């Protein structure tokens, strides 16, 4: 569970780097920061978390908070520009427009209907009380993601190009902030439910990418050769996710 942001304050000296989130005053202005201590990290790094709308500072085991603050100060303008460029958050609410399978759909509350959640005429229609609309829509999108991505995984994993051994032992749907998918050494494949908002060819690439990890857990030449054999969408999908991925992460 996320801890709430602390009140805005000047850079604090001596505070524990184990704190997860805070607001800091940097040269470019007030900046939301999340600190992350990582045993595997070899150097201090910065990245933008589009979903949370903040910069994440990753610290190796022996790096101190002051070193992280120094890097933040050095790259303050870069952080500010990246945060300012993030898409507007779109909440699940009446009248909002969200993508579904790559096409824009208007969220429409139909309180007196008895159909649950359904797609009709370019709208995602949701019955029941307005207070339950966000949860019912989220549940619908997760269920659609599981259905569609599982179907894709079976189709790609059993195609002649796949050979044998490319079906996951289990498929999980989660809400992640940094990955569209992952594959464990036990053959468990995970996908972000937000992929259901992406176009079909983007879903196809991400599924093929993770299934290829069932044979190659690294990103070596053999892995990419298999990916290209499983899907023709690699180059387009990687560009699309870089450009539009933050929008999906800022939706819902």
């Amino acid at each position: 569970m996320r801890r709430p942001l602390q009140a805005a304050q000047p850079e604090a000296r001596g505070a524990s780097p184990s704190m997860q989130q805070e607001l800091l005053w940097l040269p470019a202005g007030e900046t939301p920061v999340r600190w992350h201590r990582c045993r595997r990290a070899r150097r201090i790094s910065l990245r933008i978390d589009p979903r949370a709308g903040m910069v994440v500072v990753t610290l190796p085991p022996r790096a101190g908070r002051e070193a992280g603050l120094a890097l933040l100060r050095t790259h303050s303008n870069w952080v500010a520009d990246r945060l300012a460029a993030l898409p507007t958050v779109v909440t699940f609410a009446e009248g909002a427009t969200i993508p579904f399978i790559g096409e824009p759909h208007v969220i429409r509350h139909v309180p007196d209907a008895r159909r649950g959640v359904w797609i009709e005429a370019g709208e995602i229609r949701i019955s029941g009380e307005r207070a339950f609309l966000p949860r019912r829509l989220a549940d619908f999108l997760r269920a659609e993601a599981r259905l569609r991505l599982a179907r894709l995984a079976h189709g790609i994993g059993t195609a002649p190009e796949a050979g044998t051994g490319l079906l996951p032992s289990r498929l999980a749907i989660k809400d992640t902030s940094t990955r569209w998918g992952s594959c464990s050494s036990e053959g468990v494949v995970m996908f972000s439910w937000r992929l259901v908002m992406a176009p079909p060819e983007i879903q196809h690439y991400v599924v093929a990418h993770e299934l290829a990890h069932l044979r190659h857990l690294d990103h070596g030449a053999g892995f990419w050769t298999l990916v290209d054999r499983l899907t023709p969408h690699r180059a387009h999908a990687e560009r699309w996710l870089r450009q539009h991925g933050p929008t999906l992460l800022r939706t819902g």
Side-chain angles (χ1 to χ4, degrees):
M1 188 173 93
R2 290 198 189 99
R3 297 178 185 173
L5 288 173
Q6 298 179 352
Q9 55 186 321
E11 296 174 11
R13 295 183 179 275
S16 169
S18 63
M19 69 175 65
Q20 289 190 340
Q21 297 180 190
E22 63 181 326
L23 285 175
L24 295 177
W25 285 103
L26 297 176
E30 184 179 282
T31 305
V33 178
R34 181 165 73 237
W35 299 90
H36 174 57
R37 179 74 68 180
C38 180
R39 289 178 297 176
R40 293 176 296 177
R42 296 184 177 180
R43 59 183 178 84
I44 302 172
S45 64
L46 309 177
R47 69 173 176 83
I48 302 299
D49 182 341
R51 183 177 165 195
M54 63 178 56
V55 58
V56 179
V57 184
T58 298
L59 299 175
R62 297 185 179 181
R65 172 187 170 86
E66 283 299 324
L69 286 171
L71 190 64
L72 276 172
R73 288 192 290 267
T74 300
H75 297 283
S76 175
N77 289 332
W78 176 85
V79 169
D81 290 344
R82 292 291 299 274
L83 291 175
L86 288 176
T88 302
V89 172
V90 178
T91 58
F92 289 164
E94 162 68 23
T97 299
I98 67 170
F100 179 73
I101 318 298
E103 296 296 330
H105 285 69
V106 177
I107 299 172
R108 190 67 64 210
H109 184 219
V110 190
D112 298 328
R114 293 292 182 268
R115 295 183 58 182
V117 183
W118 73 101
I119 306 292
E120 184 176 331
E123 296 181 340
I124 304 178
R125 300 183 178 180
I126 305 152
S127 63
E129 297 182 29
R130 184 182 293 269
F132 300 131
L133 183 151
R135 179 181 60 78
R136 300 190 77 182
L137 177 53
D139 289 346
F140 169 79
L141 293 174
R142 285 174 180 267
E144 285 290 316
R146 177 175 294 279
L147 177 67
R148 293 170 183 271
L149 297 175
R151 186 183 299 151
L152 258 181
H154 184 269
I156 296 172
T158 58
E161 297 82 5
T164 59
L166 286 190
L167 290 178
S169 61
R170 183 168 65 87
L171 189 146
I173 300 296
K174 296 185 179 181
D175 190 8
T176 57
S177 60
T178 59
R179 294 184 178 186
W180 299 110
S182 65
C183 176
S184 75
S185 57
E186 291 77 29
V188 178
V189 172
M190 180 282 296
F191 297 112
S192 167
W193 70 262
R194 296 170 186 275
L195 284 169
V196 78
M197 296 187 280
E201 66 273 17
I202 310 305
Q203 298 176 21
H204 193 276
Y205 165 71
V206 174
V207 172
H209 183 113
E210 298 309 330
L211 292 186
H213 277 310
L214 292 171
R215 188 167 297 158
H216 303 279
L217 281 175
D218 58 14
H219 285 93
F223 167 80
W224 290 114
T225 297
L226 179 57
V227 170
D228 290 335
R229 194 159 69 238
L230 296 175
T231 179
H233 305 300
R234 174 184 167 191
H236 166 63
E238 289 179 346
R239 287 194 301 269
W240 192 96
L241 287 169
R242 283 194 298 269
Q243 181 177 357
H244 301 287
T247 298
L248 303 190
L249 293 171
R250 304 276 281 176
T251 300

